[in-house]
Amino acid sequence: MFNSEEHIEQEEHWVSVSDLMAGLMMVFLLIAIVFMVNAEIERNKIRDVAVLYDRLRTQLYEDLVTEFAPDLDKWGAEINEDLSIRFGRPELIFDKGQNDLKQEFQTILEDFFPRYLSIIASLKYRDDIAEVRIEGHTSSGWLGREEDEAYILNMGLSQERTRSTLSFLLEIPEVQDEKDWLKAHMTANGLSSSKPIYIEDGEEDRERSRRVEFRLRTDAESRIAAILESQK
């Protein structure tokens, strides 16, 4: 009789343990399902942001081309699909080794920049623009200087040129109503000879490397970063 009762107690004990393990497995399974659902939701959010900003970039590119296509040749400029606008005729921009804007470039900017601003700061785009970058680029080398010293000298020159450009743009009468927005979004970036332009045989195109670019950065990156941060 004693052995029978002990056997029954042991069976009840193991049944309880197995029920507990089964319950725990269900809990872990539900947690895993919830985690996978949340991960899928976050992936969809990132995808939706990427799709939205790809469409925005395409539309903005088309608007810029429509506005400026008739003027690009005379300005020595080009518009790229990454939303950069390159002014690549150095004889119109700065004298060699100098940071003062030539009169020709001032005239170009007085025509170009108010029209450019009317597009990027319009209600259609302004809330999606994170940065308006003015980039100054030089060719490599500096007469009579070693490579590293030439790079540093060109860095200083490119920075001075972008600051001169920024200063000039902020004084254009037609942009005064948007000056606060510009000061919050526009930056001047001297890049020295870090991004030269090459011709087909791999040799540097020194003339085209000396250029000024306007480049837009949307806030897609910050929105995606915020989504990723929320997953931690």
Side-chain angles (χ1 to χ4, degrees):
M1 183 67 176
F2 176 77
N3 290 337
S4 176
E5 291 177 352
E6 183 179 358
H7 179 70
I8 292 172
E9 289 179 357
Q10 289 176 346
E11 285 184 346
E12 290 176 347
H13 170 74
W14 286 112
V15 169
S16 298
V17 171
S18 63
D19 288 344
L20 176 61
M21 294 300 294
L24 288 174
M25 288 179 63
M26 288 299 297
V27 170
F28 289 136
L29 179 60
L30 288 172
I31 292 173
I33 291 172
V34 170
F35 177 82
M36 288 188 293
V37 169
N38 287 338
E40 182 65 21
I41 290 172
E42 298 304 319
R43 282 195 295 269
N44 288 340
K45 287 181 182 179
I46 293 173
R47 181 200 62 200
D48 291 345
V49 169
V51 169
L52 173 65
Y53 278 89
D54 183 64
R55 291 174 180 170
L56 178 139
R57 181 178 61 182
T58 299
Q59 185 60 60
L60 184 49
Y61 171 74
E62 291 175 355
D63 287 350
L64 291 171
V65 169
T66 299
E67 176 67 29
F68 295 116
D71 303 300
L72 296 177
D73 284 344
K74 67 181 179 181
W75 291 346
E78 60 186 76
I79 300 175
N80 301 301
E81 291 186 1
D82 63 359
L83 302 182
S84 63
I85 299 180
R86 176 181 299 165
F87 292 89
R89 290 176 60 186
E91 73 276 10
L92 298 178
I93 305 175
F94 301 100
D95 286 324
K96 192 170 183 179
Q98 302 299 312
N99 66 292
D100 292 327
L101 279 66
K102 297 184 73 170
Q103 182 59 53
E104 294 92 334
F105 194 40
Q106 292 183 23
T107 301
I108 290 171
L109 292 177
E110 287 171 338
D111 184 9
F112 160 74
F113 194 70
R115 294 158 61 191
Y116 180 66
L117 183 61
S118 70
I119 295 174
I120 65 174
S122 66
L123 292 177
K124 186 177 180 181
Y125 298 118
R126 66 187 295 132
D127 292 337
D128 297 308
I129 301 296
E131 183 183 13
V132 184
R133 294 172 58 90
I134 306 170
E135 292 185 351
H137 300 266
T138 69
S139 60
S140 61
W142 191 290
L143 186 62
R145 304 300 177 99
E146 297 294 330
E147 180 179 346
D148 288 349
E149 185 181 4
Y151 176 80
I152 295 300
L153 289 170
N154 279 319
M155 180 65 75
L157 178 61
S158 63
Q159 290 173 342
E160 290 168 0
R161 286 176 169 178
T162 56
R163 285 197 294 269
S164 295
T165 303
L166 175 58
S167 177
F168 179 80
L169 294 176
L170 291 176
E171 296 305 316
I172 295 177
E174 292 88 345
V175 309
Q176 296 309 299
D177 289 344
E178 292 288 2
K179 181 176 281 190
D180 288 342
W181 188 86
L182 283 172
K183 289 165 70 174
H185 291 82
M186 195 156 62
T187 61
N189 305 268
L191 299 177
S192 187
S193 56
S194 61
K195 296 183 178 181
I197 295 176
Y198 297 98
I199 54 181
E200 291 182 359
D201 63 1
E203 183 179 352
E204 180 183 357
D205 187 329
R206 299 181 64 84
E207 284 298 309
R208 294 183 65 214
S209 292
R210 295 194 288 269
R211 66 199 189 273
V212 171
E213 295 186 7
F214 289 80
R215 187 178 297 271
L216 296 175
R217 185 173 64 84
T218 69
D219 68 349
E221 296 91 344
S222 61
R223 292 197 183 190
I224 291 174
I227 294 171
L228 295 175
E229 183 66 23
S230 69
Q231 296 177 355
K232 296 181 180 179

